[in-house]
Amino acid sequence: MQRWILVLIARAVVAIVTMAGHAAAFGLEKGIETLHHPVPGGIAIVTIDSAEGAAPTATYRDRPVLIVPAGPNRWFAIVGIPLDTLPSTQTLKVKTREGSRVFSFAVADRKYREQHLTIKNQRHVNPNQDDLKRIRSEMDLQNAAYRQFSPEQPSNVLFDKPVQGPLSSPFGLKRFFNGEARAPHSGLDFAVGTGTPIRSPAAGRVILTGNYFFNGNTVFVDHGQGLISMFCHLSVIDVSPGDKLERGQILGKVGATGRVTGAHLHWNVSLNDARIDPAILIGSYKP
């Protein structure tokens, strides 16, 4: 009997160490507060306890949500909040072996500043009918990529920077092109020169590449469970759909293709089909 007790204790210790190791691998050992910024374009962290120990599933606005282990019988739901969300109480639907539950979290307000840009190519401000047809077709492809949800867990949720260089245009800017209001800036820009290698901030699989009207040369990478990166305005694409990337692997080079005022990297991150501020994931977020 004593032998079996020792075996059970040993197994419990192994489980605890393994779960802690998983949490460390995701970057959560640095403190969950580094990711928890429940604002429009931000991230909410919801803690889920499950006595059965099996991973729960969760949905937010009918989209599946990223779940990572946080310890024995405990999980974190990492929820992307769309940029157009108003200050409010939001709900997360969770299913475990014990049944269904609803969790609530509060979304606070956040003000984003304006940015005024001058674009030389007038068609990038006011596209003609042929351009609009192309744009709609390209948006369908890209939106489908953002909606993908693969079962693999990300290699890390605290990301590496895809390039080393100063940040220029931050996420969420209310943008004006040649004096005309356009959609807010849904990514993060790095002021680096043409030819700078771009590295995948986490392991993943290339799910879409192409040359698009606004984005120029573009690469989409699926990091797992609805966590998607999009890199655009590239001069060179070095990968193809279906390629598996290691963390830090080069996927292309910085350029000035598409609607730009100069060479830079534009990096989008999508979580449960919500564009979120990439600065949160690289420790550069400024409330």
Side-chain angles (χ1 to χ4, degrees), residues 96-141:
T96 67
R97 289 181 179 176
E98 300 156 309
S100 300
R101 288 181 282 171
V102 175
F103 291 76
S104 298
F105 60 91
V107 174
D109 195 13
R110 182 178 180 189
K111 303 297 183 184
Y112 292 98
R113 62 184 178 86
E114 294 182 357
Q115 182 184 46
H116 294 258
L117 297 170
T118 300
I119 304 296
K120 294 180 180 179
N121 185 343
Q122 289 299 315
R123 285 171 55 193
H124 279 153
V125 180
N126 295 298
N128 61 33
Q129 289 302 312
D130 288 339
D131 295 333
L132 291 173
K133 183 178 179 180
R134 175 187 172 186
I135 291 165
R136 284 191 291 268
S137 176
E138 293 175 351
M139 288 303 298
D140 288 343
L141 288 172

Side-chain angles (χ1 to χ4, degrees), residues 68-83:
V68 300
N73 303 328
R74 174 164 290 184
W75 308 82
F76 289 133
I78 305 179
V79 187
I81 304 169
L83 189 54

Side-chain angles (χ1 to χ4, degrees), residues 15 19 22 47-58 67-77 94-99 101 103 153 225:
M19 295 295 283
H22 285 169
T47 303
I48 303 169
D49 291 313
S50 175
E52 293 294 332
T57 60
I67 302 288
V68 300
N73 303 328
R74 174 164 290 184
W75 308 82
F76 289 133
V94 175
K95 289 184 179 180
T96 67
R97 289 181 179 176
E98 300 156 309
R101 288 181 282 171
F103 291 76
Q153 289 184 327
Q225 291 199 46

Side-chain angles (χ1 to χ4, degrees), residues 10-226:
R11 288 177 177 175
V13 170
V14 169
I16 291 171
V17 171
T18 300
M19 295 295 283
H22 285 169
F26 292 116
L28 300 181
E29 82 285 356
K30 295 183 180 179
I32 198 66
E33 69 278 359
T34 62
L35 294 178
H36 185 63
H37 296 285
V39 297
I43 293 174
I45 304 295
V46 178
T47 303
I48 303 169
D49 291 313
S50 175
E52 293 294 332
T57 60
T59 58
Y60 172 62
R61 296 190 176 186
D62 297 323
R63 301 290 189 195
V65 167
L66 169 61
I67 302 288
V68 300
N73 303 328
R74 174 164 290 184
W75 308 82
F76 289 133
I78 305 179
V79 187
I81 304 169
L83 189 54
D84 61 359
T85 305
L86 298 175
S88 57
T89 298
Q90 299 287 301
T91 56
L92 179 73
K93 297 178 181 179
V94 175
K95 289 184 179 180
T96 67
R97 289 181 179 176
E98 300 156 309
S100 300
R101 288 181 282 171
V102 175
F103 291 76
S104 298
F105 60 91
V107 174
D109 195 13
R110 182 178 180 189
K111 303 297 183 184
Y112 292 98
R113 62 184 178 86
E114 294 182 357
Q115 182 184 46
H116 294 258
L117 297 170
T118 300
I119 304 296
K120 294 180 180 179
N121 185 343
Q122 289 299 315
R123 285 171 55 193
H124 279 153
V125 180
N126 295 298
N128 61 33
Q129 289 302 312
D130 288 339
D131 295 333
L132 291 173
K133 183 178 179 180
R134 175 187 172 186
I135 291 165
R136 284 191 291 268
S137 176
E138 293 175 351
M139 288 303 298
D140 288 343
L141 288 172
Q142 294 177 81
N143 286 332
Y146 282 129
R147 288 192 292 268
Q148 291 202 28
F149 189 90
S150 58
E152 295 82 12
Q153 289 184 327
S155 62
N156 49 293
V157 293
L158 290 185
F159 277 0
D160 303 324
K161 291 181 179 180
V163 294
Q164 295 301 317
L167 303 180
S168 50
S169 297
F171 175 89
L173 289 171
K174 299 175 181 178
R175 308 192 85 174
F176 295 82
F177 293 105
N178 299 354
E180 299 185 30
R182 290 296 183 267
H185 191 224
S186 60
L188 189 65
D189 287 354
F190 291 82
V192 290
T194 296
T196 302
I198 303 166
R199 299 180 183 276
S200 185
R205 180 173 59 88
V206 179
I207 55 174
L208 181 67
T209 64
N211 182 276
Y212 303 124
F213 185 82
F214 288 126
N215 291 346
N217 291 326
T218 302
V219 174
F220 280 78
V221 177
D222 177 3
H223 302 294
Q225 291 199 46

